Amino acid sequence: MVQSALSFTAEELEALQARYAAAGQAHVFDKFDELDSQTMGDFYAQLSSIDVERCVKYFKSATAPPPAQDAADEIEPLAAGSFGSTLDGAQAEESAAWQAEGMRLIRANKVAVILLAGGQGSRLGSSAPKGCYDIGMPSHKPLFAMQAERIRRLQQLAAAGGAEVRIPWLVMTSAPTRAATQQAFADAGFFGMREDDVFFFNQGVLPCFGLDGRILLERAGRVAVAPDGNGGIYEALRTSGALDWLRARGVEHVHSYCVDNCLVRVADPVFVGYAALRGAECGAVVVPKSAWDERVGVICLRNGRYGVVEYSEITEAMAQATRAGSGELSYNAGNICNHYYTLDFLQQRLPEIESRLEHHVASKKIAHLDQASGRLVTPDKPNGIKLERFVFDVFPHVQRMAVLEVARRDQFSPLKNGPGAGFDCPETSRHDLIACCIRYAEAAGATVKTVPGEEPAFEISALVSYAGEGLESLRGKTLAPNQHITDLDSVVTV
């Protein structure tokens, strides 16, 4: 019997039970009356927050056999010349124009950034949000701090003319990381950002399903849920009020990136300016593949429309194909989850596009409650399904797309694996960022005196230089290899 102290009435409970029964999910209410009042109230609130009809529809659509096709999808590489490139100064004059336009938009307070930061550092041996991870630079600053300093440096550069420049920073968290992320920001004084320039919002979640299509319970009185994939960012932006917040601030252009890339150029004026000058509503930064068999998705054309094709979808012959004359791989536009959008696209076009997107099935081992026995089951093989969307699922529906190729060594070093893995790990992230800082110094005319056989520990604060600019005073100097440069007047020379 429903207890009077509960926050719902018997009629409301009956209506909710009827909805779940109609959706074929009546089992979630088995033994509901045996729960204590606190658990019962929390469970009712969770079940009420789930759009069960929509979730069941997603499951049925995602698990249905694909419709018969008259022909296989036609997959083609991006045509040479169809995208911009900053590699080897090939488009140096154009790049300068792109950067000038990007800086103009930043100066006019028309640019914001979205940080995808919902993941925990579990693979790194940490339970903290991944953005709190220290990759071992001389400053020992976490990823959040390094990225905040790049935003602050851009604000300083754009404000050189005297105008106040503010780049809003939207941080997408998840239920497990939200509190810890906000606490990390608060403890660090928002990493030097203005508190009212930072907007936190949560990635969405969806119920986990058994292979039979029944919603799984994590425990008595709790549905098992999982993040809805990085493609859930679009709905989360809308429902959290983030897009309205940006609109009220006059923002028109948005840069989106992942927290685990220590080389990311946050709010990159070159990329933003490039996309804006092309009149694009969506854009993507790509890097050349490290090898033909690198396990990375590639931006290309599928049936004449932009999309990301996973490495498993490309035959070995396609992956090894090269462009005539240059010898470059044909399928070479590695996707790194670094994107541009207009606010109009996110707010006005995407709702209709999302209604046409399918969810992807991820077969997983999902711990759950066996409701018949009351035991918690930890499976040793996949027993359930998590539904997710990918951030690039919208690409085929984009009317005007802009793709910009950049140097991997300058802008992409992902942190995916734990210490000692040998690739995409803290050691490679640190090595790549130190190497980038050394190149900045050497491009300014300095020499960094490294010791053969020893890894240098050389860092230039992003508050000193965003991407190598402003280092003219280093010309002719020989710099110690182990230092953190925070002030050009106090560099260590040898």
Short mmCIF file of all heavy atoms in Angstrom, two decimals, residues 326-358:
data_model
loop_
_atom_site.label_atom_id
_atom_site.label_comp_id
_atom_site.label_asym_id
_atom_site.label_seq_id
_atom_site.Cartn_x
_atom_site.Cartn_y
_atom_site.Cartn_z
N SER A 326 50.31 12.35 -55.25
CA SER A 326 50.84 12.67 -53.92
C SER A 326 51.26 11.44 -53.13
O SER A 326 52.13 11.52 -52.26
CB SER A 326 49.79 13.44 -53.11
OG SER A 326 48.70 12.59 -52.78
N GLY A 327 50.63 10.29 -53.40
CA GLY A 327 50.94 9.10 -52.63
C GLY A 327 50.30 9.08 -51.26
O GLY A 327 50.49 8.13 -50.50
N GLU A 328 49.52 10.10 -50.93
CA GLU A 328 48.84 10.14 -49.64
C GLU A 328 47.68 9.14 -49.63
O GLU A 328 47.12 8.81 -50.68
CB GLU A 328 48.28 11.54 -49.37
CG GLU A 328 49.33 12.62 -49.24
CD GLU A 328 48.70 13.99 -49.07
OE1 GLU A 328 47.46 14.09 -49.24
OE2 GLU A 328 49.43 14.95 -48.79
N LEU A 329 47.36 8.65 -48.45
CA LEU A 329 46.22 7.76 -48.34
C LEU A 329 44.96 8.47 -48.80
O LEU A 329 44.74 9.65 -48.50
CB LEU A 329 46.04 7.30 -46.88
CG LEU A 329 47.14 6.41 -46.30
CD1 LEU A 329 46.89 6.18 -44.81
CD2 LEU A 329 47.21 5.08 -47.04
N SER A 330 44.11 7.76 -49.52
CA SER A 330 42.85 8.36 -49.97
C SER A 330 41.91 8.59 -48.80
O SER A 330 41.30 9.65 -48.67
CB SER A 330 42.18 7.47 -51.02
OG SER A 330 43.01 7.32 -52.16
N TYR A 331 41.80 7.58 -47.94
CA TYR A 331 40.95 7.68 -46.74
C TYR A 331 41.84 8.10 -45.58
O TYR A 331 42.33 7.27 -44.81
CB TYR A 331 40.25 6.35 -46.48
CG TYR A 331 39.26 5.98 -47.56
CD1 TYR A 331 39.65 5.22 -48.66
CD2 TYR A 331 37.94 6.41 -47.48
CE1 TYR A 331 38.74 4.89 -49.66
CE2 TYR A 331 37.02 6.09 -48.47
CZ TYR A 331 37.43 5.33 -49.56
OH TYR A 331 36.52 5.01 -50.55
N ASN A 332 42.08 9.39 -45.49
CA ASN A 332 43.13 9.89 -44.60
C ASN A 332 42.66 10.93 -43.61
O ASN A 332 43.45 11.43 -42.81
CB ASN A 332 44.26 10.49 -45.45
CG ASN A 332 45.58 10.53 -44.73
OD1 ASN A 332 45.90 9.65 -43.94
ND2 ASN A 332 46.37 11.57 -45.00
N ALA A 333 41.36 11.26 -43.64
CA ALA A 333 40.85 12.33 -42.80
C ALA A 333 40.40 11.76 -41.45
O ALA A 333 39.21 11.52 -41.21
CB ALA A 333 39.69 13.06 -43.49
N GLY A 334 41.36 11.52 -40.56
CA GLY A 334 41.06 10.93 -39.26
C GLY A 334 40.20 11.85 -38.41
O GLY A 334 40.53 13.01 -38.18
N ASN A 335 39.09 11.31 -37.92
CA ASN A 335 38.16 12.10 -37.11
C ASN A 335 38.63 12.13 -35.66
O ASN A 335 38.91 11.09 -35.07
CB ASN A 335 36.76 11.47 -37.19
CG ASN A 335 35.75 12.21 -36.35
OD1 ASN A 335 35.61 13.43 -36.45
ND2 ASN A 335 35.01 11.50 -35.52
N ILE A 336 38.69 13.32 -35.05
CA ILE A 336 39.22 13.45 -33.69
C ILE A 336 38.23 14.12 -32.74
O ILE A 336 38.61 14.61 -31.68
CB ILE A 336 40.56 14.22 -33.68
CG1 ILE A 336 40.39 15.65 -34.24
CG2 ILE A 336 41.62 13.45 -34.47
CD1 ILE A 336 41.64 16.50 -34.09
N CYS A 337 36.95 14.14 -33.11
CA CYS A 337 35.91 14.70 -32.25
C CYS A 337 36.21 16.15 -31.88
O CYS A 337 36.17 16.55 -30.71
CB CYS A 337 35.72 13.85 -31.00
SG CYS A 337 34.11 14.09 -30.20
N ASN A 338 36.52 16.94 -32.89
CA ASN A 338 36.83 18.36 -32.74
C ASN A 338 35.96 19.09 -33.75
O ASN A 338 36.23 19.04 -34.96
CB ASN A 338 38.33 18.57 -33.02
CG ASN A 338 38.81 19.97 -32.75
OD1 ASN A 338 38.07 20.93 -32.92
ND2 ASN A 338 40.06 20.09 -32.33
N HIS A 339 34.90 19.75 -33.27
CA HIS A 339 33.84 20.20 -34.17
C HIS A 339 33.46 21.67 -34.00
O HIS A 339 33.73 22.28 -32.97
CB HIS A 339 32.59 19.33 -33.97
CG HIS A 339 32.82 17.88 -34.20
ND1 HIS A 339 32.32 16.89 -33.37
CD2 HIS A 339 33.54 17.23 -35.15
CE1 HIS A 339 32.70 15.71 -33.81
NE2 HIS A 339 33.44 15.90 -34.89
N TYR A 340 32.81 22.16 -35.03
CA TYR A 340 32.29 23.54 -35.07
C TYR A 340 30.81 23.49 -35.41
O TYR A 340 30.37 22.63 -36.19
CB TYR A 340 33.03 24.34 -36.15
CG TYR A 340 32.31 25.59 -36.61
CD1 TYR A 340 32.58 26.83 -36.03
CD2 TYR A 340 31.37 25.54 -37.65
CE1 TYR A 340 31.92 27.98 -36.45
CE2 TYR A 340 30.71 26.69 -38.08
CZ TYR A 340 30.98 27.89 -37.48
OH TYR A 340 30.32 29.02 -37.89
N TYR A 341 30.05 24.39 -34.80
CA TYR A 341 28.63 24.53 -35.13
C TYR A 341 28.25 26.00 -35.08
O TYR A 341 28.82 26.78 -34.30
CB TYR A 341 27.74 23.81 -34.11
CG TYR A 341 28.11 22.39 -33.80
CD1 TYR A 341 28.94 22.10 -32.72
CD2 TYR A 341 27.63 21.33 -34.57
CE1 TYR A 341 29.28 20.79 -32.41
CE2 TYR A 341 27.97 20.02 -34.26
CZ TYR A 341 28.81 19.76 -33.19
OH TYR A 341 29.15 18.46 -32.88
N THR A 342 27.26 26.35 -35.86
CA THR A 342 26.61 27.64 -35.61
C THR A 342 25.54 27.40 -34.55
O THR A 342 24.98 26.29 -34.44
CB THR A 342 25.95 28.22 -36.87
OG1 THR A 342 24.89 27.35 -37.30
CG2 THR A 342 26.97 28.39 -38.00
N LEU A 343 25.26 28.42 -33.77
CA LEU A 343 24.21 28.28 -32.77
C LEU A 343 22.86 28.05 -33.44
O LEU A 343 22.02 27.31 -32.92
CB LEU A 343 24.17 29.52 -31.87
CG LEU A 343 23.21 29.43 -30.68
CD1 LEU A 343 23.54 28.26 -29.78
CD2 LEU A 343 23.21 30.74 -29.89
N ASP A 344 22.65 28.67 -34.60
CA ASP A 344 21.39 28.46 -35.32
C ASP A 344 21.21 26.99 -35.67
O ASP A 344 20.10 26.45 -35.57
CB ASP A 344 21.37 29.29 -36.61
CG ASP A 344 21.09 30.76 -36.35
OD1 ASP A 344 20.66 31.11 -35.23
OD2 ASP A 344 21.31 31.57 -37.28
N PHE A 345 22.29 26.33 -36.07
CA PHE A 345 22.21 24.91 -36.40
C PHE A 345 21.83 24.11 -35.17
O PHE A 345 20.93 23.25 -35.21
CB PHE A 345 23.55 24.43 -36.96
CG PHE A 345 23.59 22.96 -37.26
CD1 PHE A 345 22.94 22.44 -38.37
CD2 PHE A 345 24.30 22.10 -36.43
CE1 PHE A 345 22.98 21.07 -38.65
CE2 PHE A 345 24.35 20.73 -36.70
CZ PHE A 345 23.69 20.22 -37.81
N LEU A 346 22.50 24.35 -34.05
CA LEU A 346 22.23 23.60 -32.83
C LEU A 346 20.82 23.83 -32.31
O LEU A 346 20.17 22.91 -31.82
CB LEU A 346 23.24 24.00 -31.74
CG LEU A 346 24.69 23.56 -31.94
CD1 LEU A 346 25.58 24.18 -30.87
CD2 LEU A 346 24.82 22.05 -31.93
N GLN A 347 20.35 25.05 -32.44
CA GLN A 347 19.08 25.40 -31.81
C GLN A 347 17.88 25.23 -32.74
O GLN A 347 16.79 24.89 -32.27
CB GLN A 347 19.15 26.85 -31.32
CG GLN A 347 18.10 27.20 -30.27
CD GLN A 347 18.45 28.50 -29.57
OE1 GLN A 347 18.98 29.43 -30.17
NE2 GLN A 347 18.13 28.59 -28.28
N GLN A 348 18.08 25.42 -34.02
CA GLN A 348 16.93 25.44 -34.93
C GLN A 348 16.86 24.23 -35.85
O GLN A 348 15.78 23.71 -36.12
CB GLN A 348 16.97 26.73 -35.76
CG GLN A 348 16.87 28.00 -34.91
CD GLN A 348 17.11 29.27 -35.70
OE1 GLN A 348 17.12 29.26 -36.94
NE2 GLN A 348 17.33 30.37 -35.01
N ARG A 349 18.00 23.77 -36.35
CA ARG A 349 17.98 22.66 -37.31
C ARG A 349 18.05 21.29 -36.65
O ARG A 349 17.46 20.32 -37.11
CB ARG A 349 19.15 22.81 -38.29
CG ARG A 349 18.98 23.97 -39.26
CD ARG A 349 18.75 23.48 -40.68
NE ARG A 349 19.88 22.72 -41.18
CZ ARG A 349 19.81 21.47 -41.63
NH1 ARG A 349 18.66 20.80 -41.62
NH2 ARG A 349 20.89 20.86 -42.09
N LEU A 350 18.79 21.19 -35.54
CA LEU A 350 19.05 19.88 -34.97
C LEU A 350 17.84 19.15 -34.41
O LEU A 350 17.76 17.93 -34.53
CB LEU A 350 20.12 19.99 -33.87
CG LEU A 350 21.51 19.54 -34.32
CD1 LEU A 350 22.52 19.70 -33.20
CD2 LEU A 350 21.50 18.11 -34.80
N PRO A 351 16.88 19.82 -33.79
CA PRO A 351 15.74 19.07 -33.27
C PRO A 351 15.06 18.20 -34.33
O PRO A 351 14.71 17.04 -34.07
CB PRO A 351 14.81 20.17 -32.75
CG PRO A 351 15.74 21.26 -32.34
CD PRO A 351 16.82 21.25 -33.39
N GLU A 352 14.91 18.74 -35.53
CA GLU A 352 14.28 17.97 -36.60
C GLU A 352 15.20 16.86 -37.08
O GLU A 352 14.77 15.73 -37.36
CB GLU A 352 13.92 18.90 -37.76
CG GLU A 352 13.08 18.25 -38.85
CD GLU A 352 13.92 17.48 -39.87
OE1 GLU A 352 15.08 17.91 -40.12
OE2 GLU A 352 13.45 16.45 -40.39
N ILE A 353 16.51 17.14 -37.16
CA ILE A 353 17.47 16.12 -37.58
C ILE A 353 17.49 14.96 -36.59
O ILE A 353 17.50 13.78 -36.98
CB ILE A 353 18.87 16.73 -37.72
CG1 ILE A 353 18.92 17.70 -38.91
CG2 ILE A 353 19.94 15.65 -37.88
CD1 ILE A 353 20.23 18.47 -39.02
N GLU A 354 17.48 15.28 -35.30
CA GLU A 354 17.55 14.23 -34.27
C GLU A 354 16.40 13.25 -34.37
O GLU A 354 16.55 12.06 -34.08
CB GLU A 354 17.56 14.87 -32.89
CG GLU A 354 18.92 15.39 -32.45
CD GLU A 354 18.89 15.83 -31.00
OE1 GLU A 354 18.30 16.88 -30.72
OE2 GLU A 354 19.45 15.11 -30.17
N SER A 355 15.25 13.74 -34.80
CA SER A 355 14.09 12.86 -34.89
C SER A 355 14.30 11.76 -35.94
O SER A 355 13.58 10.76 -35.94
CB SER A 355 12.83 13.68 -35.24
OG SER A 355 12.91 14.21 -36.56
N ARG A 356 15.29 11.94 -36.82
CA ARG A 356 15.55 10.96 -37.88
C ARG A 356 16.76 10.08 -37.60
O ARG A 356 17.09 9.20 -38.39
CB ARG A 356 15.75 11.69 -39.21
CG ARG A 356 14.49 12.36 -39.76
CD ARG A 356 14.76 13.01 -41.09
NE ARG A 356 15.31 14.35 -40.97
CZ ARG A 356 16.14 14.91 -41.84
NH1 ARG A 356 16.55 14.21 -42.89
NH2 ARG A 356 16.58 16.14 -41.67
N LEU A 357 17.45 10.35 -36.49
CA LEU A 357 18.66 9.59 -36.19
C LEU A 357 18.34 8.29 -35.46
O LEU A 357 17.50 8.27 -34.57
CB LEU A 357 19.61 10.44 -35.34
CG LEU A 357 20.12 11.74 -35.95
CD1 LEU A 357 21.05 12.44 -34.97
CD2 LEU A 357 20.84 11.48 -37.27
N GLU A 358 19.03 7.25 -35.84
CA GLU A 358 18.89 5.97 -35.16
C GLU A 358 19.91 5.86 -34.02
O GLU A 358 20.95 6.53 -34.03
CB GLU A 358 19.11 4.81 -36.14
CG GLU A 358 18.09 4.73 -37.26
CD GLU A 358 16.70 4.30 -36.77
OE1 GLU A 358 16.61 3.81 -35.62
OE2 GLU A 358 15.74 4.47 -37.52
#
